Structure formats: C-alpha cells, structure tokens
Amino acid sequence: MRAPYLRCAACGESLPATSRRADCRCGGLLDVVHEPREAGATLRARFDRRRRNGDPTVQGSGVWRFRELLLPGRGPVLTHPEGNTPLYRRDAIARWVGHDDLALKHEGENPTGSFKDRGMTVAVTQAVRAGATAVACASTGNTSASMAAYAAQAGLAALVFVPAGKVAAGKLAQALAYGARTLLVKGDFDTCLRLVREASETLGLALLNSINPWRLEGQKTIVWELLQQRGWEPPDWIVVPAGNLGNTSAFGKALREARELGLVRRVPRVVSVQAAGASPFFRSFRGGFQRRYRVRAQTVATAIRIGDPASHDRAVRAIRETGGLVTAVTDVEILEAKAVVDAAGIGCEPASAAAVAGTRRLVRDGTIHPGDSVVAVLTGHVLKDPGVVMDFHARRGRHRNPPTTVAARLSEVEKVLKRGG
Ligand code: F0G
C-alpha cells in the first residue's frame, strides 16, 4: 500500500489513508505510517524556510508547515490557521518551580484556545477528503469547541457529547456558539466516549476523538514546532498534562519520527502529568505498565477528568521509547500552579497547570536536575474555565486576589487602597 496508510497497532491490518474508520475492525487503534524519501537536513531546511516566509499556501499554519509528514497529497486543506504558539519564559514561574531553564509552550494561544486545533485541522481535512458529511466527538470541552469551529468552517454537521455539569463554561459556550448540536450526557467523559463510538459506528458519523489517528498527526507538530523554535536543539524534558493520552502518544510518535528522519539526534524524555484523582496511567506506570487501570475520575481540572484513557497503549510506548515517566499532582498543587502562571500575566486553564505543578514535583524530588532544560506545555487558555478562577479568588489564602465591591465614591476607593486591597 502506498504511504501514508493506516496500520492497526493490535492486528497489523492495513487500510488506505482515505478510510473513514477511526479505529480498526478488531477494536485496535490505527497508526498513520509514513515513508518519507527525504532526509532530515532537507526537511529541516524546508520547514525553516516555510516558517520564515509564512508559507502562504496554508496561511502560515504552524501545523501544515510539516505537511509531508502529516497528511500529504492533493485536496483542500482546512486551516484556521493554527499553531505558531510562543515559548514563554517568566522569572516568577521559574522561581516557584525552583528551576531556571523552564520554557512554557502555550498551546492555549491556538484559534479556539487549546492544542486541539492542531489535531482538528488535520482530522477534519482528512474527513472532508474521505467524503464525510457529519462529524462527532465526546469531550471534556476543548475537543468539542475545536471540532465545532472546524466543522463550521468546512460546512459539516457536528454532534458533540459532553458530560452534563462537568464542562467548563468557556468550552460549552464555544460549542454552542460555533453551531454544534450539543448533547449533555448524564454520565462522565468515559461514558460519553463509549456512546459516541457506538453512535458513529451506527449512524455513519466521522469520529474525531484522539483515537482518530489523524488527530495525533496534527498534534505531533507541538513537538516539532518547539524543536524548530529551539533551532532543532532538543530540551532534556517535555512535560505535558495527560487525560485521554492522545497528546502523550502524539509526542512519542513525533519524537520517534524526528529521530528516524534525522531531524534530531537525541530525544527529550516525555513526562505525562495526571491529576491525582484521575490517574489510571500513573498507577499503571508505578506498576511497570504491567496492568491497565480504569478509575472513577474526580478533579478540579475537568479537561483531564478521565478514568479510562483510550490511547493507553500508544502512550506506554511513548513513555518507554523516550525514557520518560508519569507523575500525578493534587488539585491543591494544580490550583497553586495555575495561580502562579496566571499572575505572571500568561494564564492557563487548570489542566494545563498540572504540567507546571508536575515539573515542580520532579525538580523537588531530584528527578529533574538543576542544569536540565525543560519545556512544559500549557494546553488551554485561561478564559476556558472562568468558574475555577472566580471560586479560587473568592476564598482567602496565598495567591488569592479577591475583588472588592465599593460604593461609587472616591473616598471609598482611597480607603481600599490604604487598606492594601
Ligand atoms: N489539557 C487540556 C486543556 C485538555 O483539554 C486535555 C484533553 C488534556 C490536557 C489532556 O490531553 O487527552 O491528549 O491526554 N481534553 C480532551 C477534550 C479530553 O475532550 O477536550 P490528552
């Protein structure tokens, strides 16, 4: 079969890239197989040229810049555009983490406010090329926001399954605003995913969750873009929050391909950070990945409130191949990390802050050494979850910044300023 094509990680069956299936008939997950004929130096030079010149054929997209390693071939490309996210360095955050060489790649600065746009531009493009007319996903919020936006751009019908009462306001608002048919399912994310898998199978909807291999192809570009921003000099560590494990898997594939192609000579260690109340992957890691766990998930970081991650096997491979590791942080640590990132003027949603809290934990226990370079990925924008911000600052304690209600008189304002807030 001509590359790129799809291969089942479980039974080895191959399918053409134009297949409408999101997973294999045997229930296994599909991987996209590329057979690029060019070497690393040629590709690197081309990617750098496209970045410098803005790559007008794809509106300067930081995803499609890498198109020969994602979804090559003719046909329309549905780009917003997305990607080109910054690498931030802030002293206040480095101080709190206790580590100097820390950069934050802010994927919350994508068009719909999360890294999902990188996967969605590729998956929606492939779905359109494969003739889909309707798309569907289960989501803790960001996937649905992103899918709704790209479906609107493509003129596709969109059906979204979210756990009722467990989706942050900003995300739900986006799905509605972009015109997706939105189902508030009485159940958690894991239930939503089961339901949407059944529904897409029976109703012929293209499934755009991260089990869809094209999503991971797009999300690989988070890693390639950060390598490119660093002049193809890999950091020692890449730290990422983990829920359904799509991103961890995509990072593993990106690094495997980067090494095979000679884009880089060594690969960073990937760290997946889970919320302690939703940490089946961490549990599995502690047991040497002998077993897969399913848990009832609970955490303030609703984006990663997932108890049965779909991409478990792929993520195990990513951690093993990069010599990486998995850790877990409490909701208290997540909220404190978020307050520090927010107060530095950057901001992120709670799940993203897990990456910063996880980095701090690994610095404190001596896993990350003082001279190591670290890139932590902020996955979502601060405005995604205004509810958590308002609750946090309404209480008293460290890092809190509650608002003050005043009568509309200058003397009142002066009184507040003298009191010190
Ligand atoms: N951070 C944010 C902001 C997310 O929205 C998600 C996942 C993750 C981290 C975890 O990434 O699942 O690839 O391990 N959100 C999905 C959604 C589940 O439906 O929006 P993962």
Side-chain angles (χ1 to χ4, degrees):
M1 204 173 292
R2 248 187 78 198
Y5 59 89
L6 300 167
R7 188 168 56 211
C8 174
C11 74
E13 186 178 337
S14 295
L15 295 170
T18 49
S19 167
R20 286 209 212 168
R21 295 199 63 92
D23 55 2
C24 182
R25 252 185 301 258
C26 79
L29 296 183
L30 299 168
D31 288 323
V32 178
V33 180
H34 296 282
E35 284 163 4
R37 269 163 287 164
E38 290 161 312
T42 312
L43 288 169
R44 257 196 330 243
R46 188 179 311 140
F47 298 154
D48 288 349
R49 198 165 50 244
R50 286 178 183 159
R51 179 161 176 244
R52 252 192 332 271
N53 301 342
D55 199 5
T57 54
V58 288
Q59 299 174 52
S61 168
V63 172
W64 293 98
R65 177 188 309 144
F66 304 99
R67 52 188 167 271
E68 38 283 86
L69 305 179
L70 309 174
L71 175 60
R74 288 179 206 285
V77 166
L78 266 136
T79 180
H80 203 98
E82 49 293 306
N84 295 308
T85 57
L87 273 178
Y88 289 123
R89 287 178 188 272
R90 292 290 184 275
D91 289 345
I93 302 172
R95 256 197 314 278
W96 184 78
V97 169
H99 192 78
D100 286 338
D101 193 351
L102 171 67
L104 303 171
K105 183 147 179 72
H106 206 331
E107 287 298 304
E109 300 194 3
N110 270 296
T112 75
S114 83
F115 70 94
K116 306 289 182 180
D117 295 338
R118 290 191 186 254
M120 213 46 85
T121 181
V122 179
V124 171
T125 294
Q126 192 275 344
V128 168
R129 289 187 188 178
T133 54
V135 291
C137 71
S139 182
T140 55
N142 282 324
T143 298
S144 55
S146 182
M147 188 187 82
Y150 281 86
Q153 189 179 347
L156 299 171
L159 183 62
V160 154
F161 296 67
V162 294
K166 296 293 178 192
V167 180
K171 305 175 188 183
L172 187 54
Q174 283 179 293
L176 302 176
Y178 299 140
R181 186 80 198 272
T182 303
L183 306 180
L184 305 176
V185 178
K186 294 175 184 167
D188 57 12
F189 169 82
D190 304 292
T191 310
C192 292
L193 186 56
R194 271 196 298 277
L195 190 58
V196 77
R197 284 180 93 154
E198 273 177 49
S200 58
E201 190 73 27
T202 329
L203 308 174
L205 309 163
L207 182 59
L208 294 190
N209 277 98
S210 57
I211 53 175
N212 180 319
W214 303 102
R215 282 272 314 276
L216 301 199
E217 290 307 294
Q219 288 170 211
K220 292 188 308 193
T221 64
I222 301 171
V223 166
W224 291 343
E225 188 175 273
L226 82 82
L227 291 173
Q228 187 175 35
Q229 284 167 307
R230 294 173 52 93
W232 301 102
E233 183 55 48
D236 296 301
W237 301 88
I238 298 180
V239 187
V240 62
N244 213 23
L245 299 175
N247 238 4
T248 301
S249 306
F251 286 20
K253 190 167 193 279
L255 291 169
R256 187 182 317 131
E257 291 174 357
R259 184 162 51 189
E260 282 169 4
L261 287 165
L263 290 174
V264 291
R265 243 174 282 156
R266 67 177 179 88
V267 300
R269 301 173 71 180
V270 172
V271 178
S272 287
V273 187
Q274 297 211 287
S279 55
F281 192 50
F282 173 56
R283 216 168 140 191
S284 175
F285 169 77
R286 268 193 322 196
F289 290 132
Q290 294 296 309
R291 269 195 61 188
R292 178 174 176 171
Y293 292 93
R294 291 173 178 81
V295 304
R296 190 172 284 274
Q298 191 52 269
T299 168
V300 69
T302 50
I304 51 175
R305 190 173 176 274
I306 295 173
D308 184 14
S311 287
H312 173 91
D313 294 349
R314 294 165 166 168
V316 169
R317 187 171 173 202
I319 298 298
R320 284 204 171 123
E321 283 183 358
T322 66
L325 53 93
V326 187
T327 189
V329 290
T330 64
D331 281 3
V332 171
E333 288 171 282
I334 288 174
L335 289 176
E336 189 173 341
K338 174 171 156 54
V340 170
V341 173
D342 290 356
I346 291 178
C348 66
E349 69 164 278
S352 312
V356 178
T359 305
R360 185 187 200 224
R361 204 170 245 255
L362 296 175
V363 166
R364 290 190 156 193
D365 74 14
T367 308
I368 293 178
H369 297 135
D372 291 355
S373 51
V374 183
V375 177
V377 180
L378 300 179
T379 45
H381 197 277
V382 65
L383 290 176
K384 287 283 190 174
D385 198 341
V388 163
V389 178
M390 299 314 286
D391 284 354
F392 182 85
H393 291 292
R395 296 194 210 118
R396 295 228 145 260
R398 250 185 111 209
H399 303 291
R400 278 11 182 233
N401 180 30
T404 313
T405 306
V406 293
R409 275 192 302 275
L410 186 59
S411 59
E412 286 283 316
V413 178
E414 282 174 330
K415 232 192 289 174
V416 171
L417 291 182
K418 265 189 212 132
R419 265 207 321 262

